[in-house]
Amino acid sequence: MMARVLVIGGYGNFGSYIAKALADEEAIQLLIGGRSAEKARAFATGLGTIHPAEAHAIDIDGDIPAALARIRPDIVIHTTGPFQTQDHRVARACVGQGCHYVDLADARDFVASIGTLDGSAREKDVLVVSGASSVPCLTAAVIDDYLPSFARLDSIDYGISAAQQTNRGLATTSAVLSYVGKPFTALRDGVMRTVYGWQDLHAEQYPQLGTRLFGDCDIPDLTLFPARYPGLRTQRFSAGHELAILHIGTWLLSWLVRFGLVRSLSDHAESLLRLALLFDRFGSSRSGFHMYLSGIGHDGTRRQERFFLIARSGHGPYIPCMPAILLARKLARREIAQRGAMPCLDLITLGEYLAALEGLDITVVRCGAAA
């Protein structure tokens, strides 16, 4: 029996990657949803799916329960951001309809509070998963893979460097700009301290990519990981532009927000996105992810592990999309018995994640050493 999988935002940046990846899945019939029925229809027609894809008009700001009753999905993948300005109304509607729900949210409070729907999801016998993306799914999977090699894990320092020549929409840009210059808390030396978005300017040396600049970013991990890894004393997540001039420009703008001269850069997302696109000719399609894990090894000496993902040929967006793709496949094939509402943790191993990336122009680099 086929599962009807509705991708909300299915013709958008991340939704289109997910739809294309699921197009040849025997157990899935794709339903492409978005505000424009015409755009959904055009995209669905060109997918070349095994089973005929359907197009549906659906607006997350509209009557979601009525739309789901009309469309009748078994699984919903919600890709339409920014999640920083949303509540759980789409997830609640999915629970009410009795269908599974997966989203790509990277908003800290949105993902961390998804457990409030756990009781109702269990009553309806559905799985509700938030943050099925690079954070916290990939990041936790990397930590869990390396954790047995540490007697004590003290710190994690990790980040994402985006390619300049990549598909990026207004929603993604708004999400990033929403916390630039804004205060949030992060674990530093055993204490939750206030840091500011896109500040703490620093550089990292990537294999194959060279030097990239980074600044602090607010993500769900900053709430979830101190409790998940209780021995952890320091946690830093950062992100950066490929081009130093754009990164430094964003860093300078962050001070305007921090000093209260600008309310939020997300208010100017459209104009800032247009400006950034002008620099595409100077960039590349290469992006990267890094994680440094430091602590004490089982021999009592300092230990550090370094993990990198290097994406070329514009394949970087498949990395944040892969958890939703894997969960859709598992749910359609009835390979997941778990029910309830939770962040995307303990559902996908690093081995599964990396195996799913095989065939793409993505390289894994591991560097381990005593520190």
Side-chain angles (χ1 to χ4, degrees), residues 10-23:
Y11 53 81
N13 285 328
F14 290 131
S16 61
Y17 281 98
I18 293 170
K20 290 172 184 176
L22 296 176

Side-chain angles (χ1 to χ4, degrees), residues 49-66:
T49 54
I50 290 180
H51 308 292
E54 296 179 7
H56 294 276
I58 183 169
D59 185 348
I60 62 169
D61 295 322
D63 190 342
I64 294 295

